[in-house]
Amino acid sequence: MLLSVKNLEVSYGNIKALHGINFDIEEGEIVCIIGANGAGKSTTLRAISRVVPVGPDSSMTFMGQNLLDYQADKVVSKLGISHVPEGRRLFGNLTVKENLQLATFARKDREKIPSDLELVFSIFPRLEERITQMAGTLSGGEQQMLAVGRALMSGRKLMILDEPSMGLAPLLMLDMFEALKKINAEGTTILLVEQNARLALRFAQRGYVLETGEVVLSGPSDELANNPEVQKAYLGG
Amino acid sequence: MTYFLQNFVNALQWGSFYALIALGYSMVYGVLLLFNFAHGDIFMVGSYIGFFVATGLVGLSAVGVITLPYWLILVLTILISMILTAFVGMLVERVGYRPLRDAPRASAAITGLMIGVILETLNLIMLGAERYKFPELLQTEIYELGGVSVTNKKIMIVFVSLLLMYLLNLFVMKTKWGMAMRAMAYDFAVVPLMGIPLNTIAALTFGLGSALAAAASILFGTAYPVMDPYMGVTIGWKAFVAAILGGRGSIVGAAVAGFILGFIEIFSASVFPSTYRDLIAYSIILFILVFRPHGLFGQEHTSKLRL
């Protein structure tokens, strides 16, 4: 087990966003969490990245370590969990190169940085062409590439992605998911949350369905894709 | 023409003070979206630290423990005071601002003002109301250049200020810490996701700003040696105005606006009665801000505090 989440509760003020959800991720998997707007998908990822506080009975274990012992920056630098946030959130005032460099700020395994950079450029050759350009001037597709590339540079164990398809043209969405498959093949486990359930279930091996802060269904992707309820609610009948 | 050049030299000197102090306001604002209203008093603390360092070094030289020329004492005083004052700034961040990271901005502003009062009062308690005089480390020499009189002190002040600004720019543009500061100014919330400890960068920013204020205070002390616990208040507020004029969070803006403020002040005093100086200088700045509310180099982009 790479990541095990038990009874995860998150509240924003008096509003409970997650009502004690459970899920597991095995090493090497691609897992997706699907659900509507406001179901708690992003909150789940923020809890893993330790940027929102979790309830007292929640537990999260990553590679045998208690995730709750780590602060947000240490989750990345010590455990190797990288997070591609919703809306990319690149540093638009920095160049492509600087965005990639910055992600390695606290990495201890500095000897591996050059090969990781090569991996990023082999998956996204466009980034190498744009290396000196300001991140804020990239096209939407290129920005998403940089967001994923930057995450790859920050940690390689587990990559969590918040709506990687958002704002991309259909063809670019496919390219992005193909790239994620390549990253997965190079040894990075992937957890992604998506509103585009059809696409997510096509690429992930397993999925969880989140509804108003609770996991209502889970299973292999093809099972979920054939489930009448899922089809009705998320796949447009 | 000579009259103009004479004022020009004076304006450069005052601009240097304002610019160095304004940089501290602007860097902290850029990174943490708050104004450190204790910054003027950090300038005062830097001056007193400099006083004790300089007096100590002069004393040691006098009794022959070490023999240092005065110019070297001045350099050492600047460096040591910058380092020690940086720690004072980091302490202020740790004790005063870090616990308020998620509090409303007004709380941080009030805290800053109170920290300033605490620093002034601590100084009064420890050293009394007696005024100290900054030791004379540089004998004034006056050069006449085509009717304009320039002192070696003024040249030194402007030169050291520009050098420090150049080094700051190198640090911010070329090192990974500087890169992290720039990133934090753009999107605060995402910085931890890059594995970067926010608190380290926040402390570093306070440290850098305080070190620059300390440098400014030593330079100030060579030109205007009389010290008192409230010496940082007026110059601090003026530098704050420069930071706003330059554009909140803009390092280049703070430096440029510091000099602009120096020029406006000196030249309005040279044209109008000097008692009108502040009235005219700040009216001009208010006028500029009406047309450029984000300041001269400010951007409308504001850092995002949440993911």
Side-chain angles (χ1 to χ4, degrees):
Chain A
M1 198 84 70
L2 186 73
L3 173 68
S4 171
V5 173
K6 299 238 180 308
N7 195 26
L8 179 60
E9 283 186 1
V10 176
S11 303
Y12 296 112
N14 292 324
I15 301 154
K16 248 191 183 167
L18 291 175
H19 300 270
I21 65 166
N22 300 288
F23 63 93
D24 301 309
I25 300 168
E26 299 283 350
E27 187 144 16
E29 279 191 306
I30 302 182
V31 176
C32 69
I33 298 176
I34 58 174
N37 234 340
K41 304 186 303 293
S42 296
T43 302
T44 307
L45 298 192
R46 286 173 197 154
I48 296 172
S49 282
R50 305 282 293 118
V51 292
V52 292
V54 302
D57 302 323
S58 307
S59 86
M60 293 191 282
T61 315
F62 184 78
M63 294 174 76
Q65 310 250 32
N66 181 2
L67 196 54
L68 300 178
D69 289 341
Y70 291 82
Q71 289 186 314
D73 59 292
K74 300 292 183 290
V75 168
V76 184
S77 61
K78 295 254 195 285
L79 298 178
I81 301 178
S82 60
H83 187 147
V84 182
E86 189 178 353
R88 301 163 195 136
R89 303 290 284 269
L90 296 173
F91 299 113
N93 59 338
L94 269 54
T95 64
V96 169
K97 189 181 178 191
E98 286 177 324
N99 269 278
L100 294 170
Q101 277 178 341
L102 192 67
T104 67
F105 186 93
R107 269 178 70 167
K108 291 283 170 282
D109 53 346
R110 305 210 73 83
E111 71 284 353
K112 288 194 188 138
I113 291 174
S115 64
D116 283 352
L117 194 61
E118 258 174 56
L119 178 64
V120 170
F121 289 150
S122 77
I123 295 170
F124 302 117
R126 285 291 278 281
L127 291 183
E128 195 166 14
E129 294 164 24
R130 302 264 184 254
I131 189 86
T132 55
Q133 205 170 313
M134 286 289 168
T137 65
L138 296 176
S139 73
E142 290 164 348
Q143 290 200 7
Q144 188 62 282
M145 290 177 199
L146 181 55
V148 173
R150 182 177 72 165
L152 202 61
M153 295 307 292
S154 70
R156 289 286 311 273
K157 278 276 176 244
L158 170 68
M159 185 185 289
I160 63 182
L161 300 103
D162 200 339
E163 307 271 3
S165 76
M166 194 167 81
L168 295 182
L171 268 178
L172 287 177
M173 278 187 204
L174 281 180
D175 287 349
M176 183 46 66
F177 274 82
E178 290 296 344
L180 294 181
K181 265 202 140 149
K182 280 186 206 159
I183 289 167
N184 178 248
E186 294 289 333
T188 301
T189 308
I190 288 179
L191 169 66
L192 55 97
V193 307
E194 260 298 340
Q195 281 196 64
N196 189 336
R198 189 183 303 276
L199 193 63
L201 290 174
R202 212 168 109 193
F203 280 89
Q205 288 128 24
R206 288 194 303 120
Y208 292 85
V209 180
L210 207 55
E211 244 169 52
T212 55
E214 283 176 271
V215 172
V216 291
L217 267 176
S218 66
S221 294
D222 46 350
E223 246 174 54
L224 287 179
N226 291 321
N227 181 307
E229 282 176 46
V230 173
Q231 288 189 335
K232 198 164 149 235
Y234 302 107
L235 302 175
Chain B
M1 190 62 196
T2 357
Y3 184 65
F4 174 82
L5 284 175
Q6 189 63 60
N7 282 311
F8 188 86
V9 173
N10 295 338
L12 273 181
Q13 171 182 272
W14 277 91
S16 299
F17 301 143
Y18 293 142
L20 282 179
I21 305 170
L23 282 166
Y25 281 108
S26 227
M27 278 195 288
V28 166
Y29 185 87
V31 168
L32 291 171
L33 285 183
L34 61 84
F35 282 113
N36 171 20
F37 285 122
H39 194 56
D41 294 296
I42 300 257
F43 169 88
M44 177 274 291
V45 170
S47 178
Y48 277 85
I49 289 176
F51 169 82
F52 286 111
V53 172
T55 311
L57 288 174
V58 169
L60 288 176
S61 279
V63 296
V65 181
I66 43 166
T67 31
L68 299 173
Y70 271 37
W71 67 266
L72 188 55
I73 292 181
L74 178 61
V75 172
L76 286 175
T77 301
I78 292 176
L79 290 177
I80 296 171
S81 307
M82 284 177 79
I83 293 166
L84 294 179
T85 311
F87 283 110
V88 175
M90 289 190 233
L91 184 72
V92 166
E93 190 274 332
R94 180 71 192 85
V95 179
Y97 291 107
R98 198 177 296 179
L100 297 173
R101 195 70 58 78
D102 297 318
R105 297 291 95 178
S107 309
I110 293 163
T111 304
L113 293 169
M114 291 308 110
I115 290 171
V117 173
I118 290 170
L119 291 175
E120 291 159 12
T121 317
L122 275 179
N123 181 322
L124 267 180
I125 293 170
M126 293 194 301
L127 301 173
E130 179 196 350
R131 288 190 164 196
Y132 287 71
K133 190 169 173 295
F134 204 88
E136 179 103 8
L137 296 174
L138 202 60
Q139 284 295 323
T140 307
E141 286 175 38
I142 302 169
Y143 313 109
E144 290 287 338
L145 301 168
V148 182
S149 77
V150 183
T151 64
N152 55 343
K153 283 181 180 170
K154 281 182 184 152
I155 295 172
M156 187 274 295
I157 288 167
V158 175
F159 174 76
V160 172
S161 303
L162 291 176
L163 177 70
L164 287 172
M165 287 177 222
Y166 172 73
L167 292 176
L168 176 73
N169 189 53
L170 270 190
F171 180 85
V172 171
M173 298 311 289
K174 299 290 180 200
T175 69
K176 71 171 187 177
W177 292 282
M179 208 194 286
M181 284 170 62
R182 282 184 286 146
M184 213 156 141
Y186 193 84
D187 196 331
F188 184 89
V190 174
V191 166
L193 299 187
M194 301 295 107
I196 301 168
L198 280 180
N199 289 336
T200 310
I201 307 301
L204 169 74
T205 309
F206 265 83
L208 274 179
S210 304
L212 292 175
S217 76
I218 312 294
L219 298 176
F220 187 81
T222 61
Y224 304 93
V226 180
M227 301 157 63
D228 73 72
Y230 306 103
M231 64 186 284
V233 177
T234 310
I235 198 169
W237 282 115
K238 288 185 172 181
F240 170 71
V241 171
I244 297 288
L245 178 65
R248 287 171 293 175
S250 166
I251 290 180
V252 176
V256 172
F259 283 104
I260 290 178
L261 180 60
F263 278 82
I264 294 179
E265 274 198 3
I266 296 288
F267 280 97
S268 48
S270 76
V271 177
F272 304 100
S274 66
T275 42
Y276 292 171
R277 185 189 66 187
D278 287 356
L279 174 69
I280 291 161
Y282 294 97
S283 300
I284 293 173
I285 286 167
L286 212 60
F287 190 73
I288 297 176
L289 286 174
V290 166
F291 292 99
R292 290 200 64 97
H294 292 280
L296 300 173
F297 292 82
Q299 280 157 357
E300 295 199 26
H301 175 91
T302 44
S303 184
K304 303 180 191 90
L305 291 171
R306 293 191 197 292
L307 203 58

